[in-house]
Amino acid sequence: MTTSLRIPDKKLARSMSPFWITPALTAFGLFLLPSYLPGQSPSSTTGVAALHSHFMTPPDDSRIMMRWWWFGPAATKPELTRELEQMKAAGIGGVEIANLYPLALDDPSTGFHNTPYLSPEHLEALRFAAEEARRLGLRVDVTLGSGWPFGGPEIPVTDAAGKLRVEELAVTPGSTSVQAPYVDAGEEIIAAFLVAGKATTEDLAGAEQLAPPSSGWYKIPAASGARTIFCFLSSRTGMMVKRPSVGAAGFVLDHYDRTATETHLHAVGDRLLSAFGDQPPYAVFSDSLEDYASDWSPALLAEFQRRRGYDLRPHLLALLMDAGPETAAIRHDWGRTLTEMADDNFLAPIHAWAQEHHTLLRSQTYGFPPVTLFSNRLADLPEGEGKATFQMWREFSDTRWAASAGHLFHHSVVSSETWTWLHSPAFRATPLDMKAEADLHFLQGINQLVGHGWPYSPASAGEPGWRMYAAAALNAHNPWYAAMPDLTRYLQRVSFTLRQGQPVNDVALLLPNDDVWAGFSAGVHKRATPTSPAGFDESGSNVTVDESMDKFLGKKVIAQVLDAGFNLDFIDADTINNTGLQYKVLILPAVDRLPVATYEKILDFAQHGGIVIATRRLPATAPGFLRAQEDSARLKELSQTLFHGNIASAHFVEDESALGSELARDIASDMTLYPRTPEIGFLHRKLAEGELYFVANTSNETKHVQAHFRETARHAETWDAFSGEVFGIADPQKIDLELAPYESRLIFFSDSAMTGTPKTRQQESLIADLSQKWDVSFGSTGISKEMDRLTSWTEDTRTQFYSGLATYTRSFALSKNAPRRAGRLFLDFGTGNPEPPPSPPGQHNMRAYLQSPIREAAQVYLNGKLAGVVWHPPYRVDVTDYAHGGANELRIVVGNTAINSLAGQPLPDYRLLWDRYGMLFVPQDMQNLKPLPSGMLGPVKLLESKPVE
């Protein structure tokens, strides 16, 4: 792919932080390159040794980011500095500033006040935060509005999100006139149809389109039977911006209207960026598109005529109900038009505006309106968002959608909003929960995590401080926070590694966009009868592509591909038409509608050796209304040629349960596990000097497998993303993996000379059982106790509701006269106990299903030196270098969650806040809080591990 050369002005280039350069390489084609590029392995120029060095100390731009919520906004400069410094110390690499609803009322007695959004005081806080972030070497993104979706007081009703409103007007027998519905500001009657009978499909065929109303009344001929007038109005959804800051409330903008988009960009975007001066943010951010029920825009009829080539007005009834065999085709054309209008009038102008302001567009391009995978071509930094379920990586997800877009449109860095629904309520999530979910994002191709998130919290809020109503709170108010640097370094190393080289995904799964568009339907419409008042049908519009995919794809096809030992990308017809097919296998999952031009490209792909597999049915129906008969005939002809002709690489699999077997016959699996273990996933990257695999156990049980990799070499090694160490593998052709619960591994194959001594089989012996006789003190409470046996803090009424740090101390002796030990000494805390995850998985249940022996993280000090941090399996620390003969002093500092203190205090009463600003949020899952098991629960053993001779 050739990129055009575009260099920002010299002053701007000098002022940009290094964070700006990396993704801009793909966006702007810069030639001012660092010593290596994301997407280009350093091994391509400096060899494997340099790759090892970068893995040990990865660059700062691969650190995780945090969505930094400013509530109110009410941000003071000292607190902004303090929180940025906390993030820097914890290994967080940047922030995305997001302004939300207020959490406290203005109080003149304390000086607390909420700052109106975009006021001079708010912009000064933004300027200061950006300046402090640059001082600390942190990246800064900013959300291009307050709350979501975009909109606010700058949006008049005539630019507000559009809606097709339908009024059903009952006509009494003999009537010759019916009053037209009330038309409010921003509305317009666009058509009306007189339908006899009960509005069945047969009745709709005889529908009569009425002339516009005269003096507010429709004139109709008299008739003896019951009739209905369906009146269609170009209307507005009335949706207001969700969770806005003070001064930011207002209508959501019309995502199909360029004027509305540009109004927002100039009223909000220009003001936001003015706070950054000549040093713009790294990126501006467009959150997930949640413009629910927006299925219309005043310009739609004209745009439909221009784009589709016929008038939609006579066919409007088909958007509402079954109007005959042409219904699906008309809905398809309507849906496609909505998608194109959103691309052209929302995404394209925002992307152009970002480029004009020398920043990048990071965009969650999915949801409502019905943007597609192909729409992601208009984002510099595509971003996904995880489903709140531990099965997300084995189903359709917006995470894989974004990663696929990154691969298809050559973006080497792809981010994901991570931990959105993690282990609700706020402050319940643990470091292990965070790792367990992060690995699921990595498995889908994500290599930049944006944590959701970090709530700004002033000292006046007390402990644990402010929190967002429905998200993990991942700031320094968590007692376990001492584990954050250890966690973030792991995430940084994996993120860096998964940016090297190129993705190796053999399989492309065609998203059936044309079938989805054909399944769209118009939404809320009033119904009225002569004898009853008007009511509302609460069924909303179904006009989303990504949220419809589960229905069309089902639950089998993605799991079949993964279980057969392959990884996959999504692709859609528009992307095929514009970029071609660069995969070994293309799967058509029960696709019925497909553009002829796309199917011809697929046929050409198969004729040149590409493998094409169709499941359940073969494409047979033209997508749109015009040329339906001719195009359907051509599709059937192409299906016959492809699957019933002489093309050996094309296969029809009627039962999707056999898809994996078919794939295994057609192409060698990339990774094969013995025994078959669906809970273990992998990702494969091809580097200049070798093949890299990321392998993760997504389950709560230890898994023992033998792994066979398709891409092997003379040498193999495993990389430890926690320590940065590299270990050789004795036999690259036969790799035995023992993965603890939620453990992951990086495996690298290369023909180049490798470093790292292979690990040998170890035998462990017990040196001392340290499970008893601990002295424990609880922070600054003055509470201390002797524990003859290790128990939860909740078993003592004095510490039942304690959240914080507790220090455990005791001593143990090692013989002074013993010969020097040949093995390693480990302090082992046990294995933890699996707990059953919900079945079926359901929603909002993402967490680690393991009862840890450490609740939730511990710093281990031996003889005054920090030996390590314990928060994940295997729960052990190597203390060899810190132990000595004679007496040894052991100190372990344990932090739990903030839930215990929350359970012991009254929750905030937001009544007056809601009276003042409206009920902008409802705290999630905060009812019936109970204190959780906390502390070091045992056993604790000192073990010696020696090689087996």
Side-chain angles (χ1 to χ4, degrees), residues 172-188:
T172 57
S175 294
T176 58
S177 63
V178 175
Q179 189 174 33
Y182 174 74
V183 179
D184 207 343
E187 293 190 316
E188 177 190 5

Side-chain angles (χ1 to χ4, degrees), residues 454-466:
W454 182 291
Y456 170 97
S457 187
S460 60
E463 289 296 335
W466 284 350

Side-chain angles (χ1 to χ4, degrees), residues 77-86 128 132 135:
K77 291 180 178 179
E79 182 63 29
L80 292 174
T81 295
R82 187 172 75 93
E83 295 194 4
L84 286 169
E85 289 177 344
Q86 287 174 337
F128 178 81
E132 286 292 270
R135 176 179 67 82

Side-chain angles (χ1 to χ4, degrees), residues 815-844:
S815 172
K816 290 184 177 181
N817 300 319
R820 182 176 180 85
R821 297 182 181 276
R824 307 293 296 178
L825 288 178
F826 290 92
L827 199 63
D828 187 276
F829 296 88
T831 59
N833 297 312
E835 54 181 311
S839 182
Q843 291 292 318
H844 301 163

Side-chain angles (χ1 to χ4, degrees), residues 421 423-426 469 844 907 922-929:
W421 298 98
H423 211 164
S424 182
Y469 77 100
H844 301 163
L907 296 177
V922 176
Q924 177 179 284
D925 297 334
M926 296 299 289
Q927 66 278 11
N928 303 320
L929 291 179

Side-chain angles (χ1 to χ4, degrees), residues 72 130 568 572 656 760 799:
L568 74 151
D572 58 19
E656 281 181 348
T760 58
T799 55

Side-chain angles (χ1 to χ4, degrees), residues 64 100 133 139 161 232 269 290 311 387 513 846 861 863 907:
I64 72 167
L100 294 181
R139 162 180 165 179
F232 290 80
E290 298 180 22
D311 186 4
K387 288 183 178 180
N513 290 355
M846 183 60 228
Y861 295 86
N863 297 317
L907 296 177

